Amino acid sequence: MANHLAGSTSPYLLQHAENPVDWWEWGPEAFAEAKRRDAPILLSVGYAACHWCHVMAHESFEDATVAEAVNTSFVAVKVDREERPDVDAVYMAATTALTGHGGWPMTCFLTPDGEPFYCGTYYPRQTFLQILDAVSRAWTDRREEVLDAGGRIVAALSEGVSTGRPVALDAAALDAAAATLEESFDRTNGGFGRAPKFPPSMVLEFLLRHHARTGDPRSRRMVDVTADAMARGGMYDQLAGGFARYSVDASWVVPHFEKMLYDNAQLLRLYLRLHRATGSALAERVVRETAEFLLRDLRTAEGGFASSLDADAAGHEGLTYAWTPAELAAVLGPDDGARAADLMAVTEVGTFEKGTSTLQMRRDPADPRWWADVRDRLLRARADRPQPARDDKVVTAWNGLAVAALAEAGALLGEPGWVAAARTCAELVMDRHVVDGRLRRASRDGRVGTAAAVAADHGDLAEGLLALHQATGEARWLEDAGWVLDVALEHFAADGGGFHDVADDAEQLLSRPRDLADNAEPAGTSALSGALLTYAALTGSDRHRQAAEQAVAAAGALAAAEPRFAGWTLAVAEAALAGPLQVAVVGDDDAAAEMVAAARASSSPGLVIAFGAPDLPGVPLLADRPLLRGAATAYVCRGFVCDLPVTDVPALLAQLGGRVPIDGAG
């Protein structure tokens, strides 16, 4: 029997379209069916790359006995948390409140009105059957208790989480946050806290910016040690580039193998900025390999970027990526195989499962030409193995992060193809994801989904558009970013500063989510605060600057108390403290290009760049900025107070470094 998922735009839902469970998509039809049948709802939330979601699907949702139990007593609703982060947030809050923990797959039982009364995560088949039976009997025999429980949970959810009073993040607060992070820093392995370890992209970005502003060596050391350990460990794909979702151990050896777009976009940008600040060859290699991974493995036919690669292949986690010494020798021959095994810590005992090892590179190969040949041969052999499935839906927020990373990296490293890919992606999102004047969350194969965009979609997309504007000089991206931000200000703003995660006219759920914590990706409030700050610096808009500062302050108490969960908020606060530092370069010759390149090499967290012809329409920083004596000219302004214009790179660098050039105007 076909269920109701065949028309979905979610690859995760389509994975369940042939289940014997009679799944419905989230929507009014499912709730109407529950009311018609007077049956509770089984809500199952997951995502395509989730290993334990696959396990529960194979054990339970593909099982005829389980399907009969579900279909007889429940209306089953399947949700892709990546398409509906709002639904996920509401019911994850209930799950965490009831059980003390959360995770995916998330399993909730709801009244026909959507009120949760029993929640959990992954259940083995037999346990799940027992729960289905118990919940069914409770719904039939103890209905009032069930309804009372649901009502109490809803009341607690509707109270919301108090964000406290706004707290400004001044220099002292940022210094204190860096010191707090040092307390949980793993000095041996890098990262923070114990295993499992997730890549702390936003925290490292904050620490890198903090070092740029203050020169604090402790902040720089935390970045260096962590970035080096992640790039050399098994969490990084030493053959194809790109990072897995997280490491199950403290030493970054064994990953959970799913590869997420949002992780790789953020890490690409982090390593780019580390390379910019330090000249690190390792950081540059990671940038180049990760950019190529995005373009080769995640780019869709329409020019967007797919959400993820699965953790599993042919039903086994890590099957594509792990090796034995014998497998290396079979591909490379005994001598090269042994040499490669030594380089990449592939042992007879193994570092992963069943004697296999993940590939690490704790030291650089002595012979780069030999390594390039070995890497190429191993990649070709790996291509013949079972490959992970790809979730090819295009999510607005994560594509915004990818646009920002590729545009910035392409401009800094002289890779115009990366900038062109960022432009194509931005065009796709602005063309396909804007429907009736509002953003949508995702599309697949060019067909846009019905879910409305959330706050993070607006913030991350605007971030990408602003980076693309600074990489290309094209005014259209600044204009598009302004539109995106104005929609967010109109429909997502919260009283007292910051933003709700969903719009004021979005589907009404049990509560209106507002999570200020940065987790695997920037929270809606911090994403918007960063984009607002950059837009204000590029345009001089005081309204956007104030909104940015209020958003940072709204998350200020959380950032001060738990800086590990407010990395992007802290990074934006660093930019606000250091900027705006505006560089406008007018002219279109080689001298102008050299000055733009020099400005891009600055590590100031508050810097923005505009370039093009004098008075270029739509680019406020170029207004009333003429050529000086007919030559390409750079204007450096701090807080909208400008230095004398200069016409050569040394004079520009002197101004960016805070030194007054000897010849004044250059």
Side-chain angles (χ1 to χ4, degrees):
M1 178 184 66
N3 56 41
H4 303 80
L5 302 183
S8 174
T9 55
S10 161
Y12 173 64
L13 267 58
L14 292 173
Q15 289 172 1
H16 295 268
E18 299 300 325
N19 287 172
V21 173
D22 186 21
W23 292 113
W24 294 68
E25 289 197 62
W26 177 276
E29 296 83 3
F31 287 95
E33 177 68 6
K35 291 175 181 177
R36 184 188 70 79
R37 288 178 50 191
D38 190 29
I41 290 171
L42 165 65
L43 174 65
S44 177
V45 182
Y47 59 103
C50 167
H51 172 70
W52 288 103
C53 298
H54 294 317
V55 172
M56 192 166 179
H58 298 322
E59 288 180 345
S60 295
F61 301 142
E62 296 172 4
D63 181 81
T65 302
V66 172
E68 182 179 5
V70 171
N71 296 340
T72 299
S73 301
F74 302 91
V75 171
V77 175
K78 179 61 79 169
V79 168
D80 182 344
R81 66 174 292 260
E82 296 174 348
E83 271 200 335
R84 292 301 303 263
D86 51 344
V87 173
D88 178 65
V90 167
Y91 290 99
M92 186 59 73
T95 300
T96 304
L98 287 172
T99 67
H101 66 276
W104 300 276
M106 178 167 58
T107 308
C108 298
F109 293 90
L110 322 177
T111 70
D113 291 321
E115 298 179 350
F117 58 87
Y118 188 89
C119 299
T121 53
Y122 162 77
Y123 293 112
R125 176 183 179 278
Q126 195 56 41
T127 302
F128 189 48
L129 281 169
Q130 293 169 354
I131 290 172
L132 290 171
D133 180 63
V135 171
S136 177
R137 285 189 284 107
W139 181 257
T140 301
D141 301 335
R142 302 194 308 278
R143 179 75 61 91
E144 290 303 318
E145 294 178 29
V146 170
L147 295 176
D148 287 346
R152 288 194 299 272
I153 295 169
V154 170
L157 289 175
S158 33
E159 288 177 4
V161 179
S162 174
T163 59
R165 63 180 181 82
V167 174
L169 293 176
D170 57 13
L174 296 173
D175 290 345
T180 299
L181 287 167
E182 192 178 23
E183 294 173 4
S184 62
F185 178 62
D186 184 339
R187 288 169 173 76
T188 302
N189 302 303
F192 301 90
R194 304 174 183 175
K197 281 184 175 173
F198 292 79
S201 310
M202 291 166 280
V203 168
L204 296 181
E205 177 69 28
F206 156 61
L207 291 171
L208 197 58
R209 292 183 181 191
H210 187 254
H211 174 264
R213 184 178 59 82
T214 67
D216 175 23
R218 297 170 303 172
S219 294
R220 166 73 181 276
R221 181 175 182 274
M222 285 187 274
V223 177
D224 288 344
V225 172
T226 304
D228 187 84
M230 290 193 302
R232 294 193 180 279
M235 195 182 76
Y236 182 68
D237 188 337
Q238 304 296 342
L239 297 182
F243 290 84
R245 179 69 194 91
Y246 63 87
S247 173
V248 302
D249 61 281
S251 303
W252 312 99
V253 174
V254 178
H256 189 45
F257 288 90
E258 65 200 52
K259 287 182 177 178
M260 314 302 293
L261 174 59
Y262 53 75
D263 283 322
N264 283 284
Q266 291 177 93
L267 286 163
L268 192 162
R269 205 176 186 195
L270 170 72
Y271 279 89
L272 175 74
R273 292 177 171 187
L274 179 60
H275 167 67
R276 181 180 65 184
T278 67
S280 165
L282 174 62
E284 182 181 3
R285 174 170 70 83
V286 169
V287 169
R288 292 187 178 280
E289 292 174 356
T290 302
E292 291 305 315
F293 159 71
L294 291 181
L295 294 170
R296 181 188 62 245
D297 295 340
L298 292 187
R299 200 175 190 199
T300 69
E302 297 77 29
F305 291 92
S307 296
S308 63
L309 295 182
D310 209 331
D312 299 1
H316 298 280
E317 185 176 11
L319 181 64
T320 307
Y321 305 104
W323 296 79
T324 65
E327 288 171 335
L328 292 176
V331 175
L332 303 173
D335 293 340
D336 282 347
R339 188 176 172 185
D342 176 66
L343 176 66
M344 295 185 287
V346 177
T347 67
E348 294 293 343
V349 175
T351 58
F352 182 46
E353 296 175 349
K354 300 178 181 179
T356 63
S357 296
T358 60
L359 300 186
Q360 306 174 64
M361 194 174 289
R362 299 298 179 178
R363 66 183 190 277
D364 291 331
D367 184 345
R369 292 181 65 184
W370 169 85
W371 166 244
D373 176 66
V374 164
R375 177 174 178 252
D376 183 61
R377 284 190 280 164
L378 291 176
L379 270 174
R380 290 201 305 267
R382 199 176 83 175
D384 292 331
R385 293 178 170 187
Q387 298 297 307
R390 188 173 82 161
D391 182 335
D392 56 357
K393 69 177 178 292
V394 174
V395 174
T396 298
W398 307 343
N399 276 258
L401 295 173
V403 168
L406 287 169
E408 194 169 295
L412 189 62
L413 296 183
E415 294 287 351
W418 299 356
V419 179
R423 181 190 289 110
T424 299
C425 180
E427 290 170 345
L428 171 72
V429 174
M430 293 304 299
D431 179 51
R432 304 286 176 85
H433 289 209
V434 178
V435 180
D436 297 330
R438 298 291 290 277
L439 267 178
R440 296 279 178 89
R441 170 71 175 174
S443 66
R444 182 170 184 263
D445 292 335
R447 183 165 68 94
V448 71
T450 59
V454 297
D457 292 308
H458 291 76
D460 290 337
L461 176 59
E463 180 82 12
L465 296 172
L466 293 168
L468 187 57
H469 165 66
Q470 294 179 83
T472 64
E474 295 166 358
R476 63 173 291 193
W477 306 119
L478 181 63
E479 180 182 356
D480 284 349
W483 173 79
V484 171
L485 291 172
D486 284 346
V487 170
L489 288 169
E490 180 179 356
H491 291 286
F492 291 83
D495 293 339
F499 299 88
H500 293 282
D501 293 338
V502 299
D504 53 4
D505 56 356
E507 176 187 353
Q508 288 193 350
L509 302 173
L510 298 179
S511 62
R512 190 180 183 191
R514 188 188 181 198
D515 188 357
L516 299 178
D518 298 317
N519 199 328
E521 55 187 296
T525 287
S526 65
L528 281 164
S529 69
L532 285 162
L533 188 72
T534 301
Y535 183 80
L538 287 166
T539 63
S541 169
D542 186 60
R543 178 172 73 98
H544 291 83
R545 173 86 186 194
Q546 288 183 10
E549 292 173 346
Q550 290 169 357
V552 169
L558 170 67
E562 299 286 350
R564 283 178 61 186
F565 302 101
W568 197 245
T569 290
L570 291 164
V572 175
E574 283 287 352
L577 203 60
L581 174 57
Q582 302 146 314
V583 179
V585 178
V586 291
D588 60 359
D589 57 7
D590 290 344
E594 289 172 1
M595 286 191 285
V596 171
R600 286 184 177 137
S602 169
S603 291
S604 171
L607 181 140
V608 297
I609 299 171
F611 62 94
D615 297 307
L616 182 68
V619 185
L621 287 187
L622 301 182
D624 301 319
R625 300 260 161 82
L627 301 175
L628 191 64
R629 297 188 293 274
T633 306
Y635 295 80
V636 177
C637 306
R638 288 175 175 81
F640 306 100
V641 177
C642 300
D643 296 337
L644 291 172
V646 297
T647 57
D648 60 74
V649 169
L652 173 60
L653 292 177
Q655 290 190 351
L656 291 175
R659 301 182 302 277
V660 178
I662 294 174
D663 58 354

